[in-house]
Amino acid sequence: MPTPEEQLAILKRGAAQIISEQDLLAKLKLGRPLNVKLGVDPTAPDIHLGFTVGLTKLRQFQDLGHQAILIIGDFTAMIGDPSGRSKTRKQLTHDDVMRNATTFKEQAFKILDPAKTRVVFNGEWFEMMTFDQVMKLNSRVTMQQMLQREDFKKRIDEKEPVFLHEIQYPIMQGWDSVMIKADIELGGTDQLFNCLVGRDLQREEGQPQQVVFLLPLLEGLDGVNKMSKSLGNYVGLAETPEIMFGKLMSITDTLMARYYDLLLCESVPADLHPMEAKKQLAARIVARYHGEEAGKRGRDDFESRFSKKDLSTVELPALPLAGLAPDIVSIVSAAYSVCFQIAKSRGDARRLVEQGSIQLDGEKVSDPKATPAFAAGQVLKLDKTRSVRLA
RNA sequence: GGGUAGAUACCGAAGUGGCCAAACGGGGCGGACUGUAAAUCCGCUGGCUUACGCCUUCAUUGGUUCGAAUCCAAUUCUGCCCA
């Protein structure tokens, strides 16, 4: 096992903020496995790479011999973390949450070592709490402390409501730390406040205070905003190897360095051409969620599609020609809706044709009036990333 | 409750009777160039149409007018000021 100093050096990589580094080192010097907490709220059934940054760090702790504790916030998810929110979250039912929790666990164990992970649901303790216990807990935090939060302050300034249940959230998250005697809590930078409440409550309970270990929020594919479903700049863990690979290849070199840091905990290999480095990154991430084989497949698919521009061997969605008008605009528009569930107006489709995006078996078709002799087996290229095979 | 300013397409924002499907910027999309990278350049960005053009759209409803995003009235919502 590496020395505490060595461990610190390994762990520090990619961290946004550690409160505090000295405390962390001191804890590492205790020479026992530390309780490392990561709380996740199963609010959505599908998760993306942004969510895996914390898990990756947790895995690192695990590999160094520490105890990973994954808290599934079945109770807290129903409230909804107000962090960084300009609006109240919609409340979920316990059933919704438990359904999501199953997927979460499944995905989490693609990164964590299941044998060395303790999974707990915070409903375990919150469900049992009586009202006077809740009041007691509440009496330890002041309104003023809660209102210091930037997101609440902003909402009050902007005359957006802040509901009382929302200010319970940090208290609950903090209480989780007490219940599991956390030595370290991992979280995104937006979790700072919540994690600090955990320290306060631990002190009140006479426990040693946890180290707060914050990770940056992963930028999305656009390289600017944080990865989020609503911005459409995400890579979903459930996406196919080909899509995942392709999405990862579209990032900039700067962003690639970030992804190496945060998703692989490594530096970009300096001796490789940036494109090769990116292909390796993509293949490894795909492999993590879909297996080694899929990583290779993603790469092969990508290379024949884009490097060799050879679509003949690539698997493509099929577009049945039967019943379609024989002009190119109709076919293109149908291809989008049938094969990709994308609504393209005829105007849009015509624009693509006129602007030279459409290719039939490698030949550009730029006349919207064209009625080529379509035949089954031909490849119709729609845009940079989408093609279909006629059937 | 009183006053006042406003509500325009994905977002920001011009337009204040016809030349408005609506400037400009951002975003998005396509092309060229590439490493499906970045940067750069060009083009597109309500619907239908080969096109002339037609249709729907500037908060909602009704009105004035040959003609309304633009004028009037009512309604809804929002900002600011006063109480």
Side-chain angles (χ1 to χ4, degrees):
Chain A
M1 193 162 159
T3 67
E5 285 77 10
E6 286 164 350
Q7 293 189 43
L8 180 65
I10 296 171
L11 293 167
K12 258 171 74 176
R13 150 166 236 117
Q17 196 183 356
I18 303 174
I19 304 171
S20 65
E21 231 176 281
Q22 290 88 328
D23 287 356
L24 177 57
L25 185 60
K27 286 200 189 252
L28 291 168
K29 282 183 174 160
L30 293 175
R32 63 166 170 85
L34 299 173
N35 286 337
V36 187
K37 168 194 175 192
L38 176 67
V40 295
D41 280 0
T43 44
D46 45 352
I47 44 186
H48 57 64
L49 284 181
F51 163 78
T52 67
V53 174
L55 289 172
T56 309
K57 185 54 72 181
L58 187 56
R59 171 69 199 226
Q60 234 182 359
F61 273 99
Q62 220 170 24
D63 290 342
L64 292 169
H66 297 289
Q67 174 65 55
I69 303 178
L70 185 66
I71 298 195
I72 310 263
D74 59 331
F75 240 67
T76 34
M78 290 194 291
I79 291 185
D81 184 3
S83 295
R85 286 271 161 160
S86 56
K87 288 223 160 51
T88 307
R89 280 180 189 261
K90 138 174 181 279
Q91 292 190 37
L92 302 169
T93 69
H94 197 251
D95 280 353
D96 290 336
V97 169
M98 292 313 277
R99 243 192 316 276
N100 295 340
T102 313
T103 348
F104 265 59
K105 258 191 337 200
E106 224 168 81
Q107 297 299 339
F109 284 135
K110 296 201 165 149
I111 297 171
L112 299 175
D113 178 347
K116 295 192 205 148
T117 307
R118 212 177 117 204
V119 179
V120 283
F121 287 79
N122 62 10
E124 269 175 44
W125 45 87
F126 287 123
E127 220 158 26
M128 328 256 301
M129 270 186 148
T130 58
F131 197 69
D132 62 299
Q133 286 174 310
V134 174
M135 290 320 249
K136 209 169 140 204
L137 194 50
N138 270 302
S139 71
R140 295 191 172 149
V141 185
T142 65
M143 193 66 148
Q144 284 83 342
Q145 287 173 318
M146 283 302 144
L147 295 182
Q148 276 178 20
R149 291 181 55 135
E150 194 56 36
D151 31 35
F152 286 158
K153 233 192 287 181
K154 216 169 144 202
R155 266 154 76 172
I156 289 169
D157 286 350
E158 288 172 3
K159 314 223 182 303
E160 282 290 333
V162 177
F163 290 93
L164 292 180
H165 75 275
E166 294 183 86
I167 65 175
Q168 303 288 308
Y169 188 95
I171 301 173
M172 294 175 79
Q173 183 170 332
W175 192 245
D176 287 345
S177 293
V178 171
M179 292 312 286
I180 62 155
K181 298 193 168 53
D183 291 304
I184 298 166
E185 173 159 14
L186 299 182
T189 48
D190 57 348
Q191 294 295 312
L192 175 62
F193 185 92
N194 295 350
C195 295
L196 291 176
V197 171
R199 276 169 69 91
D200 290 345
L201 292 180
Q202 284 179 315
R203 191 185 49 215
E204 302 250 348
E205 291 294 319
Q207 286 182 17
Q209 291 182 301
Q210 65 184 0
V211 168
V212 176
F213 195 112
L214 301 179
L215 294 155
L217 301 175
L218 187 71
E219 292 90 343
L221 296 171
D222 55 20
V224 179
N225 301 299
K226 74 171 197 193
M227 189 175 277
S228 91
K229 186 119 200 270
S230 54
L231 291 173
N233 61 359
Y234 69 99
V235 179
L237 300 195
E239 293 187 284
T240 66
E242 290 79 10
I243 301 227
M244 228 184 204
F245 197 102
K247 281 191 176 180
L248 286 167
M249 285 307 287
S250 76
I251 63 178
T252 66
D253 292 355
T254 321
L255 192 58
M256 168 170 67
R258 281 297 273 174
Y259 280 20
Y260 258 95
D261 251 3
L262 295 176
L263 299 174
L264 300 178
C265 297
E266 286 175 20
S267 305
V268 180
D271 51 330
L272 291 180
H273 185 280
M275 182 184 52
E276 179 55 31
K278 201 153 50 165
K279 281 181 180 174
Q280 289 186 10
L281 168 79
R284 284 170 65 185
I285 291 176
V286 170
R288 187 180 272 180
Y289 301 103
H290 297 285
E292 281 305 321
E293 229 358 81
K296 284 199 200 78
R297 227 171 54 233
R299 183 177 177 134
D300 287 346
D301 177 83
F302 178 85
E303 284 171 352
S304 29
R305 237 178 234 259
F306 301 108
S307 312
K308 297 180 204 143
K309 296 193 191 327
D310 173 15
L311 293 171
S312 60
T313 58
V314 172
E315 217 174 291
L316 298 174
L319 177 71
L321 285 170
L324 296 176
D327 65 285
I328 188 72
V329 170
S330 302
I331 299 284
V332 166
S333 163
Y336 272 103
S337 70
V338 174
C339 302
F340 300 103
Q341 289 76 49
I342 295 172
K344 282 260 187 243
S345 67
R346 293 181 60 80
D348 265 338
R350 180 174 310 109
R351 241 164 260 134
L352 285 173
V353 174
E354 282 167 353
Q355 298 190 125
S357 177
I358 307 302
Q359 292 180 15
L360 183 63
D361 267 350
E363 293 293 318
K364 251 183 206 182
V365 182
S366 51
D367 177 6
K369 285 175 280 186
T371 54
F374 295 107
Q378 284 181 311
V379 172
L380 184 69
K381 180 164 177 279
L382 301 173
D383 56 37
K384 273 196 260 202
T385 57
R386 285 175 275 256
S387 298
V388 298
R389 196 180 308 282
L390 302 178

